């Protein structure tokens, strides 16, 4: 639910969005508030940096990290007590990032009808992702300790099933899990994917390492994605100063983007 301060903080985000518009960027601005003070600001910088991840929310989060380091405060603890204000509904990428870092409350201006991750397209902010799943991507999961994150049999079985399916099968059936001493307690921070044409070589190498017998029946494992790695659902408060945010977007889309690979000439501009 919106409170009186929400409009005040959103006006600051609107100011950043106007700055983005003046710089030829999609006009999106963001502020992050902690204990009634702004500790991070950001505006869209995609064209400026030629980096598609430089959305306003991620730029602001980077500033919060710098602020926390200067104050010798825990980045995670601070973010868990912040509210983020952004002029446009976070896209799917940004909504996932906000959930991952643990920001509990997000206030946005207008809806993002093409890419919105907080209700328009997906409900990243509320969906339940804490279910047990087994993944069958052709990959090697490395834990922070350099150990195999998935159990060894699951790795070999995944490669076998991927190969048999011609690379079209994406996920294993959800498994009911039981304890397996070959599984490490934590999942990897990073996943390394292999090209499909290397499946057979990897499969042979993996079978030699773990003694995989293709005649064995499918086993049960505890390949689980912990909810703590995904982040808790967060509250979204929409449509604060939405008309102003929409007006800025209309101003941007009246023109042509000189940074586009193939600029589209707009013959019918909105007056």
């Amino acid at each position: 639910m919106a409170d009186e301060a929400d409009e005040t903080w959103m006006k600051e985000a609107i100011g950043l969005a106007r700055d983005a518009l003046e710089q030829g960027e999609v006009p999106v601005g963001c502020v992050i508030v902690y204990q009634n003070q702004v500790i991070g600001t950001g505006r869209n910088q995609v064209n400026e940096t030629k980096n598609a991840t430089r959305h306003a929310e991620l730029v602001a989060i980077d500033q919060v990290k710098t602020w926390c380091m200067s104050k010798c405060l825990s980045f995670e603890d601070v973010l868990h007590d912040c509210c983020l204000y952004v002029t446009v509904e976070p896209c799917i990428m940004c909504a996932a990032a906000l959930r991952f870092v643990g920001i509990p409350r997000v206030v946005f201006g207008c809806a993002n009808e093409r890419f919105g991750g907080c209700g328009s397209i997906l409900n990243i902010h509320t969906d339940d992702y804490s279910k047990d799943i087994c993944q069958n991507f052709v990959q090697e999961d490395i834990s922070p300790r350099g150990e195999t994150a998935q159990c060894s049999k699951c790795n070999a079985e995944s490669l076998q099933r991927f190969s048999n399916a011609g690379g079209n099968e994406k996920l294993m059936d959800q498994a009911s899990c039981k304890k397996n001493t070959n599984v490490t307690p934590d999942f990897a921070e990073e996943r390394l994917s292999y090209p499909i044409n290397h499946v057979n070589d990897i499969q042979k190498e993996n079978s030699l390492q773990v003694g995989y017998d293709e005649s064995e029946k499918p086993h049960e494992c505890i390949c689980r994605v912990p909810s703590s790695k995904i982040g808790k659902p967060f509250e979204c408060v929409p449509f604060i100063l939405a008309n102003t945010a929409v007006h800025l977007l209309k101003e941007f889309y009246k023109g042509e983007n000189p940074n586009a690979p193939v600029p589209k000439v707009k013959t019918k501009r909105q007056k």
Side-chain angles (χ1 to χ4, degrees), residues 153-174:
K153 285 188 177 181
C154 188
N155 279 334
E157 183 177 310
S158 294
L159 290 167
Q160 177 65 36
R161 294 187 61 183
F162 190 95
S163 179
N164 291 342
N168 294 323
E169 183 177 358
K170 294 297 183 185
L171 292 175
M172 291 173 61
D173 294 333
Q174 184 170 330

Side-chain angles (χ1 to χ4, degrees), residues 207-267:
S207 63
L208 290 173
Q209 290 177 352
V210 302
Y212 175 69
D213 184 357
E214 295 182 4
S215 65
E216 291 181 357
K217 295 181 180 180
H219 71 290
E220 293 179 337
C221 69
I222 57 170
C223 295
R224 186 173 68 85
V225 178
S227 59
S228 61
K229 293 289 185 182
I230 299 169
K232 296 179 180 179
F234 58 85
E235 176 191 3
C236 266
V237 179
F239 311 133
I240 305 299
L241 299 183
N243 290 337
T244 304
V246 169
H247 174 74
L248 290 173
L249 290 172
K250 287 181 177 180
E251 288 297 313
F252 175 80
Y253 287 113
K254 282 180 183 179
E256 298 164 7
N257 185 358
N259 297 289
V262 183
K264 295 181 180 179
V265 178
K266 298 183 180 180
T267 56

